[in-house]
Amino acid sequence: MALFQNTTFRNETVDLDGNEFHGCDIQDCLLIYRGGELPVLVNCVIAQCDFAFDESARNTIAFFRAFYRGGFQPVIDEIFHSIRTRGTPPSVETIH
């Protein structure tokens, strides 16, 4: 999508999907991820921003919430543990 280099974002909505941010200063913004291509953020400063999830990303969050509340807390805890320790949650390729 778009490449942003040494760009300053202030008090605006920033779409993350598929975009690259290098050396950007992002403050007081709403960062939106919709579940598309992962963004690339290199040497950026992100301060006092809110994150929002929409479309497929929102569906994934809703799925995690439903699983967690439905008695599958250990499954969700393991997903977040794997993110913290290995950097990548389990996928179909890593499970089989």
Side-chain angles (χ1 to χ4, degrees):
M1 285 203 138
L3 171 63
F4 299 96
Q5 292 183 317
N6 303 312
T7 303
T8 298
F9 298 91
R10 295 276 192 281
N11 299 308
E12 58 186 289
T13 299
V14 179
D15 290 313
L16 297 175
D17 291 63
N19 291 323
E20 291 191 36
F21 303 86
H22 296 266
C24 294
D25 184 13
I26 307 169
Q27 295 188 27
D28 299 306
C29 292
L30 174 61
L31 305 177
I32 299 178
Y33 180 64
R34 292 180 171 83
E37 186 177 341
L38 292 175
V40 174
L41 294 111
V42 178
N43 296 322
C44 293
V45 173
I46 299 175
Q48 298 172 319
C49 292
D50 292 318
F51 286 84
F53 301 96
D54 204 6
E55 300 172 13
S56 295
R58 177 186 283 177
N59 290 342
T60 300
I61 298 294
F63 174 77
F64 285 170
R65 183 183 308 118
F67 244 54
Y68 188 88
R69 292 180 179 169
F72 296 96
Q73 180 179 348
V75 173
I76 302 305
D77 288 344
E78 177 57 32
I79 290 169
F80 283 99
H81 175 73
S82 70
I83 291 169
R84 281 189 222 90
T85 59
R86 293 190 298 263
T88 305
S91 67
V92 173
E93 291 81 21
T94 60
I95 292 173
H96 287 88

